Amino acid sequence: MTCSEQTSSVAVDTADHKQPPATGGRAVVIALVLATGTAVLVGAEFVPAGVLPLLAGDLHVTEGRAGLAVAATALAGAITAPTISSVLPRADRRRVLLGLLALAFVSNVLVALAPTLPLLLAGRVLLGVAIAGYWSFTFGVGVAITGRPALISTAMSLGTSVATIVGVPLASVLGDSIGWRGVFVILIAATAASWLAVARLLPPVPAHPGAGSVMMRQALGNRRLMAGVAMIALAAFGNFAAYPYIRVALQAVTPSLVTVLLVAWGIGGLAGNLAGGWLSSRLRLGVALAPAILLVGLALMALHPSTVVVALAVVAWGTGFNMVPVTTQLWVSRVEPKRVESAVSLQVTAFQAAITLGAVVGGLVVDHRDVWTAMAVGAVATALAAVGFAVIRLVPRAD
């Protein structure tokens, strides 16, 4: 089966029970609407990395403990992703997406008002549920409406890239002027705008006829898929053992260029997003290359011999990591073309579980050693992911 045939099989399997696919400009609009939701949710997930010193100081906790604001979100996501389709097997997917965006709105309100770390973490748990559900359903929703998996995967990763280009550096700048709580107020408004866009522009999308626990059990029986999910978890762990502490690292090397280098990370992310889409016809190469580039960035950060090297490391880091979601999402959908919703849910689970573990391990390393050791830990994990993906064959499941 060729790559184009694999892509077609995914589209047909996801959309054959719905209305004819949207075409042309309407397909692009749908993709952009879904990408906007992704950008808002991912921005909310990782904004703490841009305001970590401020958040830690205001709540009177260490920066390692403040990093749990990322871990709590990811833990909730790891639990939610593999179960939400079973809880909502027949719910209209447009309504589900609207409910998840509403949950993110409530989360941001709670975080903006939280007087203590435990209350803040409670709000972040709600965000984890929203993110995991949105990521699990959006790919299938987008393909059902447009019939174009590569467009939807690229759009979702583009939303992630925009969130990192704009969200983290902008949060860093705004946090210094209006406070970290003010940043979350802005996120509240952005989440409301995304909800309105989805409500206005997306048509109803019925659930896949086979969605639910049976589909998930069948996907779990695909050993090649599960091996890939393990590699996804390694790549994500490697990134998130270090990413919540990126601002701490940059301030230690070059305090005056922190915002510039955060933007450089995001620009690298945009390049990685585009590269991941370009490699959609060579996915075995793409899924191995992404963690390999991430490895280079983290290894150079761990060494940090000069500002120039750190700048190059940041760009490589952003490029490699942002290739991972788009290439792996397409990879799992091609390995398991008849159970795409469950396959993507497992990808999301791997990401969120790895974010949780990565943030916790990274926080412990930062508190007990230093931020550079956290970068080295991440580099080792991404090296294993690159090697693993290089040896796993990309063969779609036939049954």
Side-chain angles (χ1 to χ4, degrees):
M1 181 181 287
T2 67
C3 288
S4 61
E5 287 169 338
Q6 292 165 14
T7 298
S8 297
S9 71
V10 173
V12 170
D13 180 71
T14 310
D16 58 7
H17 60 290
K18 303 178 180 72
Q19 66 269 23
T23 58
R26 182 167 178 265
V28 173
V29 169
I30 294 298
L32 290 176
V33 168
L34 295 174
T36 299
T38 302
V40 169
L41 292 172
V42 172
E45 183 170 18
F46 299 130
V47 153
V51 297
L52 195 65
L54 300 172
L55 190 154
D58 186 37
L59 298 180
H60 308 292
V61 297
T62 67
E63 290 175 347
R65 289 191 65 197
L68 294 175
V70 175
T73 300
L75 178 60
I79 295 170
T80 301
T83 58
I84 191 168
S85 62
S86 298
V87 175
L88 301 169
R90 299 292 175 262
D92 178 272
R93 293 325 193 206
R94 172 181 173 274
R95 291 184 178 180
V96 172
L97 293 184
L98 288 172
L100 293 167
L101 287 170
L103 191 63
F105 178 90
V106 173
S107 164
N108 290 328
V109 171
L110 289 176
V111 171
L113 298 175
T116 64
L117 182 62
L119 289 176
L120 181 143
L121 295 180
R124 299 290 292 175
V125 165
L126 296 182
L127 181 67
V129 174
I131 291 171
Y134 193 90
W135 268 95
S136 296
F137 291 126
T138 299
F139 183 74
V141 167
V143 174
I145 298 172
T146 68
R148 297 170 64 181
L151 171 66
I152 299 304
S153 185
T154 301
M156 291 176 66
S157 189
L158 177 63
T160 301
S161 297
V162 169
T164 51
I165 292 169
V166 177
V168 175
L170 186 60
S172 180
V173 173
L174 289 176
D176 290 337
S177 59
I178 64 173
W180 68 270
R181 295 181 191 275
V183 174
F184 277 93
V185 170
I186 293 174
L187 281 171
I188 291 168
T191 306
S194 179
W195 188 96
L196 290 172
V198 170
R200 181 175 179 81
L201 297 173
L202 259 65
V205 180
H208 189 285
S213 58
V214 173
M215 178 189 284
M216 179 58 71
R217 286 197 298 270
Q218 291 171 337
L220 288 169
N222 185 336
R223 282 188 265 182
R224 183 170 283 109
L225 171 66
M226 296 311 296
V229 167
M231 296 307 106
I232 293 168
L234 277 172
F237 171 85
N239 182 77
F240 289 103
Y243 185 72
Y245 313 102
I246 186 171
R247 179 172 176 176
V248 177
L250 295 178
Q251 282 183 325
V253 176
T254 174
S256 63
L257 295 177
V258 169
T259 301
V260 172
L261 291 177
L262 287 173
V263 172
W265 192 99
I267 292 173
L270 179 59
N273 171 270
L274 297 174
W278 181 71
L279 287 167
S280 62
S281 61
R282 303 182 67 188
L283 273 182
R284 190 175 180 186
L285 171 63
V287 292
L289 187 60
I293 296 173
L294 178 55
L295 161 64
V296 171
L298 290 173
L300 290 175
M301 283 294 295
L303 296 173
H304 65 283
S306 68
T307 300
V308 172
V309 170
V310 167
L312 294 173
V314 164
V315 174
W317 183 356
T319 300
F321 176 68
N322 282 274
M323 287 177 66
V324 172
V326 63
T327 55
T328 59
Q329 188 172 69
L330 290 170
W331 191 91
V332 300
S333 71
R334 289 184 187 172
V335 170
E336 190 57 272
K338 295 185 178 180
R339 301 169 185 88
V340 172
E341 191 171 276
S342 292
V344 173
S345 293
L346 290 172
Q347 181 219 20
V348 175
T349 301
F351 257 92
Q352 298 299 329
I355 292 170
T356 304
L357 185 59
V360 171
V361 170
L364 291 172
V365 171
V366 169
D367 281 349
H368 295 284
R369 291 293 297 273
D370 54 50
V371 71
W372 314 115
T373 306
M375 304 289 167
V377 169
V380 172
T382 54
L384 294 173
V387 172
F389 267 127
V391 300
I392 300 173
R393 295 176 60 212
L394 178 53
V395 180
R397 184 173 176 174
D399 63 336

